[in-house]
């Protein structure tokens, strides 16, 4: 979602596990009947049970409109803040709220949280249980960036979009990877369509399972896509730690601007974020 965005100790037991994990993917067609790999070692569990601000030991904030004031490279319309009106924990949920208001030269406000320099990991299962907002021009996302991004600018650092979604299409989400030679509009992506339901009317689990040679994408434990080094059109940059991000953007190249039918405020409700290895 950029421009369109604890390390695991590699002991012998982990290497054996990853070998089994990878081999379980080889020769499999990705379809909706496959069984989700069960990873039981929890390394991050953010349950959002304590009202107030997000845990500062885990979550930081991006503030403003991007380094160049260009809407984070996507022509987004919001100003990101860390105010309770835009991001707060209440009633067992992390609430990220986009509002229509004049603030610091922008017409909208929202929030973007990230675990950079707080929690980073290579490989494992990363998931969140979320109820999404809705409306033309509303762009929520749960995603990851390579932890070396300061030294290795995007897209070289790599990006994994576990979930991004156009609010005007409340039954469809997109999972993607970006890297050198396959970024922005050339990202390796696949859509998932929810049948007989909408993502804004209830909670759904969005996750990936990531090994050295594959990233599997899930919705509610339905495997809908697998991306491997053979699928990308450039260097595979997914063999290092990444950090997590969550946000609700307003407008931008991916969704277009809100229209007169878009209602504000719009809130993304996050029940939990969990990471396993």
């Amino acid at each position: 979602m950029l421009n369109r965005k604890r390390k695991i100790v590699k002991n012998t037991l982990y290497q054996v596990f990853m070998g089994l994990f990878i081999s379980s993917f080889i020769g499999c067609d990705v379809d909706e009947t496959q069984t989700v790999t069960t990873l039981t070692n929890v390394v991050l569990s953010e349950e959002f049970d304590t009202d107030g601000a997000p845990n500062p030991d885990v979550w930081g904030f991006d503030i403003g409109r991007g380094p160049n004031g260009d809407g984070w490279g996507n022509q987004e319309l919001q100003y990101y803040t860390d105010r309770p009106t835009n991001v707060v924990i209440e009633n067992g949920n992390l609430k990220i709220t986009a509002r229509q208001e004049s603030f610091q030269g922008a017409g909208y406000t929202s929030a973007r949280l990230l675990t950079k320099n707080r929690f980073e990991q290579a490989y494992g299962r990363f998931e969140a249980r979320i109820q999404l907002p809705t409306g033309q021009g509303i762009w929520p996302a749960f995603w990851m960036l390579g932890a070396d991004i300061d030294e290795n600018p995007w897209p070289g650092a790599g990006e994994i979009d576990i979930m991004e979604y156009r609010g005007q299409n409340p039954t469809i989400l997109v999972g993607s990877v970006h890297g050198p030679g396959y970024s922005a509009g050339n990202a390796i992506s696949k859509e998932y369509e929810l049948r007989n339901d909408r993502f804004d009317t209830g909670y759904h689990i969005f996750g990936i399972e990531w090994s050295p040679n594959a990233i599997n994408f899930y919705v509610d434990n339905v495997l809908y896509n697998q991306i491997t080094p053979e699928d990308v059109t450039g260097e595979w940059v997914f063999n290092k730690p990444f950090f997590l991000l969550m946000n609700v953007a307003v407008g931008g190249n991916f969704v277009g601007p809100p229209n007169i039918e878009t209602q504000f405020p719009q809130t993304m409700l996050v029940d939990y974020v969990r990471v396993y290895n």
Side-chain angles (χ1 to χ4, degrees):
M1 181 163 174
L2 196 70
N3 197 24
R4 202 278 272 145
K5 48 278 83 31
R6 281 205 204 256
K7 297 182 181 178
I8 296 177
V9 178
K10 294 186 176 180
N11 55 31
T12 302
L13 180 61
Y14 177 72
Q15 292 171 351
V16 170
F17 164 74
M18 290 311 300
L20 294 172
F21 183 55
I22 298 164
S23 65
S24 69
F25 290 157
I26 296 174
C28 294
D29 294 327
V30 177
D31 60 42
E32 296 181 359
T33 64
Q34 292 196 34
T35 301
V36 176
T37 304
T38 301
L39 306 180
T40 58
N41 184 32
V42 179
V43 293
L44 178 69
S45 179
E46 284 290 282
E47 304 297 320
F48 306 119
D49 291 333
T50 302
D51 287 359
N55 181 359
D57 292 334
V58 177
W59 303 103
F61 298 92
D62 278 331
I63 304 294
R65 302 204 62 194
N68 301 312
D70 60 356
W72 303 97
N74 304 310
Q75 307 304 311
E76 298 166 30
L77 303 176
Q78 80 290 329
Y79 190 103
Y80 283 133
T81 87
D82 58 359
R83 304 177 306 163
T85 54
N86 294 119
V87 55
V88 69
I89 298 172
E90 292 179 337
N91 302 318
N93 286 288
L94 172 69
K95 298 180 177 181
I96 303 176
T97 300
R99 299 182 179 275
Q100 186 173 23
E101 59 179 329
S102 179
F103 188 86
Q104 299 293 322
Y108 305 88
T109 61
S110 189
R112 182 156 99 176
L113 292 77
L114 65 168
T115 68
K116 184 181 180 184
N117 300 323
R118 293 168 171 84
F119 177 86
E120 300 161 356
Q121 177 171 297
Y123 316 133
R125 181 176 176 90
F126 302 75
E127 68 178 22
R129 184 173 183 263
I130 304 174
Q131 180 171 315
L132 296 175
T134 189
Q136 165 66 43
I138 303 300
W139 181 8
F142 173 48
W143 49 298
M144 305 174 71
L145 284 172
D148 61 344
I149 191 167
D150 290 341
E151 301 76 36
N152 187 15
W154 190 91
E159 173 182 336
I160 304 171
D161 296 325
I162 301 172
M163 176 281 300
E164 61 181 340
Y165 153 99
R166 297 176 174 93
Q168 56 263 44
N169 296 324
T171 65
I172 299 174
L173 62 77
V174 183
S176 308
V177 298
H178 302 247
Y182 51 100
S183 62
N186 295 316
I188 309 302
S189 301
K190 187 174 182 178
E191 293 184 344
Y192 177 86
E193 184 168 7
L194 192 63
R195 299 171 182 171
N196 304 313
D197 202 352
R198 295 164 53 113
F199 287 113
D200 61 316
T201 58
Y203 291 88
H204 297 273
I205 299 172
F206 308 105
I208 60 164
E209 287 176 350
W210 170 23
S211 75
N213 291 303
I215 303 172
N216 278 9
F217 290 77
Y218 297 89
V219 176
D220 295 329
N221 292 340
V222 173
L223 172 60
Y224 74 94
N225 196 24
Q226 180 184 95
I227 299 175
T228 72
E230 290 71 33
D231 297 316
V232 303
T233 53
E235 180 186 358
W236 179 259
V237 291
F238 305 102
N239 295 118
K240 59 187 177 184
F242 276 54
F243 60 87
L244 290 163
L245 304 95
M246 293 188 296
N247 64 284
V248 179
V250 180
N253 302 329
F254 186 61
V255 293
N259 60 23
I260 59 173
E261 296 180 355
T262 308
Q263 298 182 7
F264 288 91
Q266 285 292 328
T267 300
M268 181 164 78
L269 301 174
V270 186
D271 181 35
Y272 64 73
V273 175
R274 297 173 184 164
V275 180
Y276 306 80
N277 67 19

